Amino acid sequence: MRLISFGAKNFLGYSELELKLAGLDPLILIDGRNHDFADASSNGSGKSSISECIAYALFGKTIRNVEARYGKESIIHTGAKGGTSVWLEAELPTGKLRIERYRQHPEYENKIRAWLDGQDVIRGRVASETDDRIAQLLGFDYDLFCRAVVIHSRLTESFSTVENRYIKSITERLLGLRDFDGLRKYVKGQVDKCGSETAQLEIKLSNTIARLEELESELEALQEKQKTHQHEQSVMGQRLAQEIKACSDKTTQFSKTHSIAKESADKFQGQLDKLNRERQKIKDAASEQDAVKIKAERKQAELGAELRIATQQAQRYTNMSGKTCPECDQVVSAAHVKAKVKELENRLIDLKRKVKTALTVVTTQAESVVKTKQELEQLDNQCGDLRNSVSNSERDAATIAEKLRNERIQLKRLQEQKEELAVDPYAELIANVKALSINKENELAKAQADLKDQEERKRYTEFWLYAFSPNGMRSFMLDGATPMLNQLANFYLEQLTDNTMALRLNTVKSNKDGTYKDKFDIDVTNESGANVLGGNSDGETGCVDLALNLAMSDLLESRIKGGIGLLFIDQALDLLDSSRAALAVRLLRQKTESAWCKEHGIVVKDHVFLISHKLDIQDSFNSVLYVEKHNGTCRLGQKA
Ligand SMILES: Nc1ncnc2c1ncn2[C@@H]1O[C@H](COP(=O)(O)OP(=O)(O)OP(=O)(O)O)[C@@H](O)[C@H]1O
Ligand SMILES: [Mg+2]
């Protein structure tokens, strides 16, 4: 960061403040006079407020922390109307940053406004989000600024009074290791989570194995039962096959016998039908013969009647008393009578012959009828026999059919038994158990793979837990940075003390048992004084503090892209005597010289501000900012 300009309205002691750094010497002394007190007074003139303006513009916080302790409005210049505004412009590697902060401002109220190359960089609606964004753009935050940019006689703790643990934590923060605690906490959570997930997976795995063993036993038991069943099935199957064979044979035999009986019944029935037809014919013939006989008898009776009439006529003609015709009652001749008698006699002869013939026919027919009836009777007897045979055969056939039906029922039952026997009641159960076993084996494989992954993850998280632990990467990085700190601090201390003092930082070390020593000692050697830091004089301790603070500032510079380029030393030299203070000022000037910094491998400071009440160093400065206070209001002024 290269500071370009900054300023404020109604901020702390100032009603107006503006400073453009262009044209100023990099080493700047801030001198002041408080005209409200006494001519020689510098206290309260507004010197430190310059660094406060920079701190507030960058982070919204003062170094002295008034806004947190006394309220956000405590930064507003007492009695000012229209609130306060503080602004700053700086060149960053990413662009030109302008920040404006307001408090109770008529237009901008309590807003923060910020741009990078004219682009708004405000993030979110909460001020802290914007502050985070600005700190991210700067590459350092308020804490690091207070620690490594501002070296304050009162607010920057002396290394002689702070605990080792505090020094260690400062160094860690300067190295950017502050987040390691958060990371470690996060990873610890992951390790614990991993542990409980691993335990759950192990339980799942052992449950799956137990279930698989159960399934294996079930399968074995079922396969044993199946074996027994198959044996019984085979024995019973053979028996059933025999029974089926016997039954089937019987069925065939009954079927054959039934066919024979049926054929026999049909044959007898055929014969009976034939006989019946013959009988009918004979019966018809007998009827015909009867009819002929009756006709002949009727004819015979008719002829007999005719014959009696003709006989009577012939008798009358024969017995004719006169010559009167018995028929026409007319007188007839004897010849006529004779002829008539002759005619009647012929007719009688004819009639007698016809009667005889008719009688012969009657007799013949009567004989035929008798004969035919005898035949009919004979046939009736034959038919009766045949009917018996038919009914016997049919009864036999029905009996056999009944037996056949029973055998077939039995055969069907046996075949059903055989089919039932063919069904394996264990096959489906075994298949189910096998399917379950396959599922469980898959589950087992998955659980084993998950457990493997989980163990891998556990190892991984445990590694990072160790890596983020104080004796992991922190120790590693701290150990890596400590030589640089040692070298720089000793280099500065040599300059400040004319090589009479040296220091050594001792960082964290692992114990044999795997624990670590949370120590960060500073060993001091003083050729002409105490060899413990706390035992040295104020000026000597001031030299050690300055050397260490400068080294720490360099450490921060070295890891921030583009560096910070700014150092603000507020009365930190005032404990030093004139000669040491002069050495310190020389050192500060060297830190603004690029050739010297390059030679010593450190980042050059663009601007070093020094506030000091030591009058004898003022001649060493080309740029002096003169602040003065009149009637309770500070302002940048011109030294008379
Ligand atoms: N809100 C405020 N309104 C008015 N004056 C204030 C306000 N806050 C601080 N001051 C005053 O501003 C003056 C300048 O303070 P500053 O700390 O800059 O003085 P200084 O020059 O550094 O003095 P010293 O040499 O004692 O450190 C002080 O008198 C202080 O009391
Ligand atoms: Mg001051």
Side-chain angles (χ1 to χ4, degrees):
M1 179 185 86
R2 189 181 180 86
L3 195 58
I4 300 171
S5 57
F6 56 92
K9 271 193 175 140
N10 300 328
F11 179 70
L12 299 179
Y14 288 84
S15 60
E16 286 280 350
L17 172 66
E18 182 171 2
L19 183 63
K20 289 184 177 146
L21 297 170
L24 287 180
D25 190 71
L27 184 64
I28 305 156
L29 178 73
I30 303 176
D31 191 13
R33 285 292 171 270
N34 183 349
H35 298 290
D36 292 344
F37 188 70
D39 267 358
S41 172
S42 171
N43 291 139
S45 57
K47 300 181 297 296
S48 299
S49 300
I50 304 249
S51 61
E52 294 291 23
C53 180
I54 298 170
Y56 192 83
L58 289 174
F59 306 108
K61 292 178 185 176
T62 55
I63 298 161
R64 63 190 76 175
N65 222 1
V66 284
E67 69 292 331
R69 291 191 288 167
Y70 307 110
K72 289 182 174 171
E73 274 63 50
S74 58
I75 56 144
I76 302 172
H77 182 57
T78 308
K81 292 197 170 53
T84 190
S85 59
V86 183
W87 59 269
L88 174 145
E89 282 187 357
E91 194 65 49
L92 302 181
T94 45
K96 186 177 170 187
L97 177 70
R98 180 177 172 86
I99 307 168
E100 294 176 5
R101 292 182 187 268
Y102 299 91
R103 202 77 219 161
Q104 291 193 349
H105 192 269
E107 186 180 353
Y108 297 113
E109 299 171 333
N110 300 325
K111 276 198 175 122
I112 311 169
R113 304 174 77 209
W115 301 265
L116 186 70
D117 279 343
Q119 294 279 317
D120 197 342
V121 295
I122 300 298
R123 292 282 182 276
R125 286 197 278 172
V126 189
S128 62
E129 285 180 39
T130 301
D131 287 336
D132 288 347
R133 171 69 179 144
I134 291 169
Q136 191 191 347
L137 285 170
L138 294 170
F140 56 93
D141 60 9
Y142 169 81
D143 288 344
L144 292 179
F145 180 84
C146 290
R147 186 66 236 179
V149 178
V150 179
I151 304 172
H152 196 283
S153 61
R154 181 171 53 85
L155 298 175
T156 308
E157 302 87 338
S158 167
F159 290 96
S160 61
T161 55
V162 294
E163 286 185 11
N164 290 337
R165 192 184 283 267
Y166 179 72
I167 306 170
K168 179 170 167 273
S169 119
I170 293 164
T171 317
E172 283 180 355
R173 275 162 49 194
L174 288 171
L175 282 169
L177 305 185
R178 198 155 59 123
D179 291 344
F180 273 41
D181 279 336
L183 288 168
R184 189 169 182 270
K185 222 181 208 167
Y186 171 77
V187 176
K188 176 80 173 64
Q190 292 295 310
V191 169
D192 293 346
K193 194 171 161 231
C194 227
S196 71
E197 280 174 3
T198 307
Q200 277 175 8
L201 272 173
E202 278 168 352
I203 291 170
K204 195 178 171 193
L205 197 71
S206 71
N207 286 346
T208 310
I209 290 170
R211 181 68 188 124
L212 254 174
E213 282 170 2
E214 270 175 30
L215 284 170
E216 261 172 41
S217 317
E218 270 179 47
L219 190 65
E220 270 174 28
L222 281 170
Q223 280 171 335
E224 197 54 44
K225 282 182 183 173
Q226 189 186 42
K227 219 167 147 188
T228 313
H229 171 79
Q230 280 169 348
H231 175 70
E232 285 171 4
Q233 200 180 31
S234 147
V235 172
M236 274 178 75
Q238 280 172 11
R239 191 173 60 74
L240 262 180
Q242 283 168 4
E243 282 181 23
I244 287 168
K245 169 98 181 37
C247 194
S248 179
D249 289 351
K250 265 190 192 175
T251 308
T252 314
Q253 188 198 328
F254 284 140
S255 183
K256 270 187 199 160
T257 316
H258 179 259
S259 296
I260 292 166
K262 196 88 179 59
E263 269 172 28
S264 164
D266 289 347
K267 195 180 90 191
F268 287 136
Q269 186 64 46
Q271 286 175 358
L272 184 62
D273 291 347
K274 198 178 161 196
L275 277 181
N276 273 334
R277 280 195 299 278
E278 274 179 34
R279 186 177 168 272
Q280 191 60 41
K281 271 187 200 166
I282 291 166
K283 210 175 166 188
D284 290 349
S287 297
E288 250 174 59
Q289 285 165 352
D290 256 353
V292 172
K293 187 188 149 213
I294 289 162
K295 203 175 159 190
E297 279 171 348
R298 205 175 293 133
K299 188 79 183 172
Q300 188 197 1
E302 281 171 8
L303 286 170
E306 263 186 67
L307 186 59
R308 269 185 310 273
I309 292 167
T311 305
Q312 282 168 5
Q313 275 181 335
Q315 193 64 47
R316 266 194 319 263
Y317 274 102
T318 308
N319 297 333
M320 221 168 42
S321 51
K323 298 288 186 232
T324 308
C325 180
E327 281 179 6
C328 58
D329 207 15
Q330 287 178 16
V331 177
V332 288
S333 66
H336 173 69
V337 172
K338 201 180 167 186
K340 201 65 181 175
V341 170
K342 184 65 183 170
E343 186 191 333
L344 281 168
E345 279 175 356
N346 285 342
R347 200 168 159 222
L348 275 173
I349 291 163
D350 184 44
L351 280 169
K352 277 180 187 169
R353 193 182 43 82
K354 281 183 177 171
V355 167
K356 197 180 167 191
T357 307
L359 200 63
T360 310
V361 169
V362 168
T363 309
T364 313
Q365 286 302 318
E367 282 171 1
S368 293
V369 165
V370 169
K371 200 178 159 197
T372 304
K373 279 187 177 167
Q374 281 171 351
E375 277 178 22
L376 201 59
E377 201 177 324
Q378 208 180 335
L379 273 175
D380 278 347
N381 288 339
Q382 278 181 17
C383 279
D385 289 347
L386 274 173
R387 258 195 293 280
N388 285 339
S389 296
V390 167
S391 93
N392 286 343
S393 293
E394 279 179 344
R395 200 176 49 247
D396 287 352
T399 310
I400 295 164
E402 180 64 24
K403 284 184 181 174
L404 186 59
R405 208 164 24 252
N406 289 339
E407 280 309 314
R408 278 184 177 151
I409 289 167
Q410 172 69 358
L411 187 61
K412 196 177 168 201
R413 199 174 54 75
L414 288 170
Q415 272 163 346
E416 280 170 0
Q417 275 183 21
K418 193 183 166 192
E419 278 167 21
E420 276 171 22
L421 202 64
V423 176
D424 183 351
Y426 298 103
E428 199 180 332
L429 291 171
I430 287 172
N432 285 344
V433 172
K434 278 182 178 170
L436 275 174
S437 296
I438 288 168
N439 277 351
K440 282 288 156 199
E441 272 163 14
N442 290 341
E443 268 180 36
L444 182 68
K446 191 174 176 302
Q448 279 167 337
D450 286 350
L451 190 64
K452 205 176 157 207
D453 287 351
Q454 197 61 29
E455 277 163 357
E456 190 58 39
R457 216 172 129 232
K458 199 173 160 222
R459 269 197 297 279
Y460 177 79
T461 48
E462 278 170 353
F463 165 79
W464 283 108
L465 184 66
Y466 174 79
F468 292 136
S469 70
N471 49 342
M473 273 176 18
R474 288 164 70 162
S475 158
F476 181 75
M477 290 175 76
L478 213 54
D479 281 349
T482 309
M484 179 186 167
L485 266 184
N486 269 322
Q487 184 236 313
L488 285 170
N490 274 305
F491 172 65
Y492 295 134
L493 195 57
E494 273 171 24
Q495 309 251 336
L496 292 170
T497 64
D498 269 345
N499 235 347
T500 58
M501 289 182 81
L503 60 83
R504 194 161 67 89
L505 298 168
N506 305 302
T507 59
V508 66
K509 283 281 173 290
S510 297
N511 294 322
K512 279 180 187 163
D513 61 0
T515 58
Y516 67 96
K517 269 188 224 153
D518 190 15
K519 70 169 205 171
F520 196 97
D521 297 342
I522 303 173
D523 292 337
V524 171
T525 49
N526 185 347
E527 274 180 17
S528 59
N531 275 334
V532 286
L533 180 58
N536 281 289
S537 75
D538 291 342
E540 287 169 337
T541 306
C543 287
V544 173
D545 281 341
L546 185 63
L548 273 168
N549 281 324
L550 290 177
M552 284 189 170
S553 175
D554 289 340
L555 185 64
L556 180 64
E557 290 274 10
S558 71
R559 75 163 185 87
I560 291 170
K561 198 180 171 198
I564 299 177
L566 189 65
L567 194 60
F568 221 105
I569 297 169
D570 196 340
Q571 296 182 204
L573 308 188
D574 287 12
L575 283 177
L576 273 57
D577 60 30
S578 295
S579 66
R580 287 180 203 243
L583 289 172
V585 171
R586 192 186 71 184
L587 190 57
L588 293 177
R589 175 164 295 287
Q590 284 170 330
K591 284 182 73 62
T592 65
E593 291 168 0
S594 30
W596 187 88
C597 289
K598 201 172 171 190
E599 187 191 332
H600 294 94
I602 54 176
V603 181
V604 66
K605 298 284 181 192
D606 299 316
H607 298 104
V608 175
F609 291 88
L610 177 70
I611 298 172
S612 175
H613 290 155
K614 298 185 87 65
L615 301 173
D616 48 1
I617 57 166
Q618 292 197 352
D619 294 341
S620 313
F621 293 84
N622 299 324
S623 288
V624 179
L625 285 181
Y626 185 68
V627 297
E628 50 188 351
K629 183 157 130 186
H630 289 281
N631 302 323
T633 299
C634 308
R635 66 182 169 85
L636 267 174
Q638 295 293 318
K639 194 172 180 184

